[in-house]
Amino acid sequence: MAEDLKKIRNIGIMAHIDAGKTTVTERVLYYSGKTYKMGEVHDGTAVMDYLPEEQARGITITAAATTLPWKDHTINLIDTPGHVDFTAEVERSLRVLDGAVMVFCGVGGVEAQSETVWRQANRYHVPRICFVNKLDRVGADFDRVVQQMFSMLEANPVVLQLPLGQDAGFVGVIDLLSMQAMVFDEKKLGASFELTDIPADLLDKARRLQHDLLEKVAEADEQLMHLYVHDHHIPADILAAAIRRATIACAIQPVLCGSALKYKGIQPLLDAVNAYLPAPVDLPPVQGYHPKHHDKILSRPPDPKAPLAALVFKIQADTHGDLYFLRIYSGTLKIGSRLYNPLRDKREIVSRIWRMHAGQRLLLDQAQAGDICAVVGLRHSLTGDTLADQKAPIVLEKIEFPETVISMSVEPVASADRARLGQALALLAREDPTFTYHYDQQTSQTIMSGMGELHLQVLHRKLREDLKVPVRVGNPLVAYRETITAAAEAEARFVRQTGGRGQFAVVTLRVEPFQHQHPDEQVVFESSIKGGVISAQYIPAVRQGVLDARTSGPLGDFPVSDVKVTLLDGKEHEVDSSPVAFEMAAAKAFIDALSKAKPALLEPIMSLQVVVPDTYFGVVQADLNSRRAMITHTEIRGRTRIIDAQVPLANMFGYATAIRGLTQGRATYTMEPLAYRIMPQALARDILELSY
């Protein structure tokens, strides 16, 4: 394995569900020599889909990591899920990766989850290359997919390859840098290919696209632009270097093509990973802040000799001790290393270091800057935490996860298993940041929440089969919220007189509607106190009282969202006032103000995309209308209709079964959380009556 940092690539493979992402990964493992036999998703033998649930469903549920060699380079690769219910796996993978390969279906093109993953990659500024897959299938259209990247993703795709043939006649690719055709030998499983001249009927198109390639890269790279405008000859190696610089700057996205299932185009894709995606040293030093001075920005270079800085991006329960997946940004990690977690103010010791290959592992003596590895022995760390050298502490940017939108009750079959259920739920919550649970005092039930029906089904199976806790679950429930539609003010007093020191606090708050921009800031607090009528030491207590009270609104004990709270006035007593008194007064003032501010119920709205044969368009559209869906866009692709809609989650339970029945199993759909919106009053009344 190459230890030179310039020859390390930390990449993820991402796509919409069923674009062929895991098949691409299986071919990569085979051609790199990492496996001697190709696994197939449809046979349940894919190496990276190693969980029984993944093999049974034929989908990726958890991000699997592996390390493989390719032409003197070391590629740390993460295969991520395509299903939106497991978007947290994509989110945390993107946070620690240096580059990504986006896989698109040659028939389906840019689909709903393609857009979601692309936006996630944009947020983390991850350079990426694109691979248009499944070009052997009837209806595949390479040019249309490239156009969709431009129009739907607002990307800057730069075509490096053209398909050679189409549908069943697809035999290889045309490389626009070398201007040669590559014909893959299917009998040898694509392990060898022949370089030939470009067929005459494709030569003009290849020359035109090569000119477009030069023009686009020159626009994104000053060094190439100088050669281009002066009509200098541009050798292939100079052009490749310019493509690399522009890709790393996220100015362009190189586009390659092939068919993973038919063994075509994978080796050039691996070459492109080495050639165009960044090594750890190509990116700026990772930044963070000092744990005791949040305004003090620190950075760590990708240097094995620098102080250690690593991010915990995934925790996986294991019978021999939980596995903590780390991305090491700087320094060197050794067995027995004593680390510091500045967020928890805890010391940690690493007892084992593993290099992962899906469900298998290889013991290492050490790992260093640029590596992705798993360790055993940590006790206090959670996903998103930083591990650092105690003498040089740093806190790296944490990972943001979407909010849960669906819940269901869970209880043990036997009351004797109640303690085991609590332990099992805690374990699942430690593994999965998009899973939460709580005990409902009113119903005396434990409620678990997740990202969708499939997510909860998988968690239920884990409890029952992996963790051996027999449980009963209720029907899925929507995670409603409360908000306000007007501004209001309220004053609350908390006064207690006992034999000794009493309690005294008076707080006046104003609440008003406010659209939150961040998952952690559903209720925004600010103080407009002037003249010291409340001491500065009590203002954090007022804020805490508000945040504690937001978990249960005035309508139906649902969490409160999209509210701005301003502390206007108050009173304190020089002896009897305390932080606790101000917390209690603030909580009461907050609830009183909400009650006056025309509260309303918020419901989760989903972004839905249905792909349906044209003959069933009418019945699917009518069914969506009956579910309160708002159809935002329809598109015709051959004999297929693409329907984009926004629909309340409450109306979508059991949709998988319903759409199969309506279309004889010929339609597919994807759904992801979009926003929370105010629910119609009549429907809200029904929900609130049921909640009591």
Side-chain angles (χ1 to χ4, degrees):
M1 289 287 175
E3 294 303 323
D4 184 351
L5 274 174
K6 292 181 180 178
K7 295 189 175 180
I8 289 178
R9 300 289 181 271
N10 292 313
I11 68 160
I13 297 192
M14 291 167 293
H16 179 91
I17 192 168
D18 285 339
K21 168 179 49 58
T22 298
T23 304
V24 169
T25 308
E26 293 300 316
R27 302 302 184 252
V28 163
L29 294 176
Y30 178 77
Y31 295 130
S32 69
K34 190 70 180 181
T35 56
Y36 66 91
K37 181 182 177 184
M38 291 193 208
E40 302 291 357
V41 174
H42 52 269
D43 292 337
T45 57
V47 173
M48 301 301 273
D49 286 352
Y50 63 93
L51 298 177
E53 185 84 352
E54 294 178 313
Q55 293 166 358
R57 293 180 183 270
I59 62 171
T60 304
I61 290 172
T62 184
T66 188
T67 302
L68 55 97
W70 185 253
K71 296 187 178 177
D72 199 29
H73 285 64
T74 298
I75 299 175
N76 295 314
L77 182 148
I78 297 180
D79 176 29
T80 64
H83 198 288
V84 69
D85 279 21
F86 310 106
T87 189
E89 295 290 324
V90 182
E91 192 79 38
R92 58 177 160 201
S93 300
L94 279 167
R95 172 64 183 81
V96 299
L97 294 172
D98 299 329
V101 175
M102 285 287 302
V103 179
F104 297 92
C105 173
V107 179
V110 174
E111 298 169 276
Q113 185 65 4
S114 313
E115 296 185 62
T116 301
V117 174
W118 195 269
R119 286 196 303 271
Q120 288 172 305
N122 282 344
R123 187 160 65 249
Y124 290 111
H125 306 290
V126 177
R128 66 217 82 148
I129 57 180
C130 304
F131 182 72
V132 181
N133 191 28
K134 299 190 176 184
L135 289 176
D136 59 302
R137 286 181 51 188
V138 175
D141 188 336
F142 176 76
D143 294 337
R144 190 191 75 234
V145 179
V146 173
Q147 181 56 39
Q148 286 178 342
M149 291 178 202
F150 180 77
S151 60
M152 296 171 68
L153 301 178
E154 297 181 357
N156 189 16
V158 173
V159 175
L160 303 190
Q161 293 178 348
L162 267 180
L164 187 58
Q166 61 182 11
D167 301 346
F170 176 67
V171 294
V173 300
I174 295 169
D175 180 66
L176 297 178
L177 271 75
S178 66
M179 289 300 280
Q180 285 186 301
M182 305 170 74
V183 179
F184 292 83
D185 189 341
E186 206 170 309
K187 291 179 182 176
K188 294 183 179 178
L189 304 182
S192 63
F193 54 84
E194 181 186 355
L195 293 175
T196 66
D197 291 335
I198 298 172
D201 60 327
L202 289 172
L203 193 56
D204 284 346
K205 183 177 183 180
R207 284 172 176 158
R208 176 168 50 80
L209 283 173
Q210 188 191 45
H211 179 268
D212 292 346
L213 160 66
L214 277 167
E215 199 169 66
K216 275 195 164 187
V217 179
E219 286 173 2
D221 185 80
E222 286 186 23
Q223 294 182 42
L224 191 71
M225 176 62 83
H226 178 75
L227 297 174
Y228 181 74
V229 295
H230 290 94
D231 288 330
H232 290 302
H233 170 67
I234 300 173
D237 59 333
I238 299 293
L239 176 57
I243 293 171
R244 177 180 177 77
R245 288 191 296 270
T247 303
I248 291 172
C250 294
I252 65 168
Q253 292 81 38
V255 181
L256 298 93
C257 60
S259 167
L261 188 66
K262 298 297 183 183
Y263 323 110
K264 297 177 177 68
I266 302 301
Q267 297 96 321
L269 177 63
L270 280 167
D271 289 341
V273 167
N274 286 354
Y276 308 128
L277 289 181
V281 291
D282 293 319
L283 298 172
V286 67
Q287 289 197 325
Y289 61 85
H290 193 282
K292 293 182 179 176
H293 309 286
H294 291 196
D295 57 344
K296 185 178 179 182
I297 303 300
L298 305 172
S299 64
R300 294 284 184 270
D303 182 353
K305 296 178 181 177
L308 184 86
L311 188 78
V312 179
F313 70 93
K314 180 180 169 77
I315 302 172
Q316 185 175 307
D318 190 84
T319 51
H320 305 296
D322 288 354
L323 282 173
Y324 291 77
F325 286 73
L326 305 183
R327 164 65 197 267
I328 302 174
Y329 286 97
S330 66
T332 300
L333 181 68
K334 297 181 180 179
I335 291 177
S337 291
R338 293 177 179 273
L339 307 176
Y340 177 56
N341 182 330
L343 274 176
R344 316 271 164 208
D345 193 23
K346 297 287 186 181
R347 277 71 178 166
E348 299 275 29
I349 296 178
V350 172
S351 58
R352 292 281 187 278
I353 305 173
W354 302 101
R355 173 161 280 154
M356 300 303 295
H357 175 49
Q360 303 163 16
R361 58 190 78 168
L362 171 70
L363 187 64
L364 300 176
D365 293 327
Q366 66 177 41
Q368 61 185 31
D371 281 340
I372 291 175
C373 63
V375 301
V376 176
L378 307 186
R379 296 168 62 91
H380 309 288
S381 299
L382 296 174
T383 300
D385 285 3
T386 303
L387 296 173
D389 188 323
Q390 193 168 341
K391 295 177 182 176
I394 185 173
V395 179
L396 303 176
E397 178 194 354
K398 66 178 185 177
I399 310 169
E400 301 295 347
F401 294 107
E403 305 156 42
T404 59
V405 294
I406 188 170
S407 306
M408 68 183 179
S409 62
V410 56
E411 58 184 27
V413 172
S415 57
D417 287 331
R418 195 164 296 281
R420 287 182 59 218
L421 174 61
Q423 293 168 357
L425 292 173
L427 185 149
L428 291 178
R430 200 164 70 248
E431 277 192 342
D432 185 348
T434 57
F435 167 71
T436 61
Y437 68 97
H438 70 277
Y439 184 73
D440 190 317
Q441 297 283 357
Q442 287 186 325
T443 61
S444 299
Q445 289 180 316
T446 299
I447 306 297
M448 62 183 203
S449 305
M451 296 304 300
E453 278 189 281
L454 178 59
H455 189 199
L456 292 183
Q457 287 169 15
V458 169
L459 291 167
H460 178 206
R461 192 207 65 82
K462 274 189 176 182
L463 281 171
R464 196 180 64 245
E465 296 181 18
D466 295 355
L467 302 174
K468 308 298 181 189
V469 182
V471 292
R472 285 190 296 265
V473 296
N475 292 325
L477 303 168
V478 175
Y480 293 105
R481 290 194 193 146
E482 297 180 33
T483 192
I484 55 175
T485 57
E489 295 179 13
E491 178 188 277
R493 305 167 67 85
F494 185 76
V495 181
R496 295 285 186 274
Q497 287 301 328
T498 56
R501 180 177 171 180
Q503 297 279 6
F504 182 91
V506 179
V507 170
T508 303
L509 298 177
R510 181 176 68 235
V511 296
E512 55 193 303
F514 176 82
Q515 189 66 46
H516 81 272
Q517 302 294 322
H518 197 280
D520 292 340
E521 294 183 344
Q522 292 160 19
V523 172
V524 175
F525 175 85
E526 70 175 36
S527 171
S528 63
I529 289 292
K530 292 183 175 64
V533 292
I534 297 179
S535 300
Q537 63 179 325
Y538 295 133
I539 291 175
V542 174
R543 180 180 183 276
Q544 191 58 49
V546 167
L547 295 181
D548 289 346
R550 73 159 286 274
T551 58
S552 180
L555 290 177
D557 286 335
F558 299 111
V560 176
S561 183
D562 294 352
V563 174
K564 180 181 179 182
V565 183
T566 306
L567 173 59
L568 299 176
D569 199 1
K571 294 177 184 174
E572 64 178 73
H573 189 279
E574 60 182 12
V575 175
D576 291 346
S577 288
S578 69
V580 171
F582 275 97
E583 277 190 36
M584 300 299 289
K588 187 174 185 311
F590 179 60
I591 294 299
D592 289 349
L594 290 177
S595 301
K596 297 177 185 176
K598 298 182 182 177
L601 202 62
L602 289 168
E603 63 176 342
I605 303 296
M606 311 299 284
S607 175
L608 174 74
Q609 185 176 83
V610 184
V611 181
V612 58
D614 208 26
T615 50
Y616 298 104
F617 174 70
V619 292
V620 170
Q621 186 180 35
D623 178 68
L624 287 175
N625 289 335
S626 73
R627 295 172 185 271
R628 290 199 291 136
M630 180 175 70
I631 294 174
T632 56
H633 180 70
T634 61
E635 182 183 337
I636 300 173
R637 292 184 193 165
R639 297 178 182 176
T640 302
R641 289 280 188 117
I642 314 296
I643 305 172
D644 290 309
Q646 297 174 6
V647 59
L649 174 62
N651 295 71
M652 294 304 288
F653 292 135
Y655 189 63
T657 303
I659 197 168
R660 273 200 301 270
L662 289 171
T663 65
Q664 298 181 354
R666 294 178 62 196
T668 60
Y669 77 96
T670 53
M671 190 167 65
E672 63 175 304
L674 176 66
Y676 270 82
R677 289 185 187 147
I678 293 176
M679 197 172 187
Q681 252 183 339
L683 294 172
R685 272 197 300 271
D686 294 341
I687 296 298
L688 294 172
E689 285 171 9
L690 286 171
S691 69
Y692 285 111

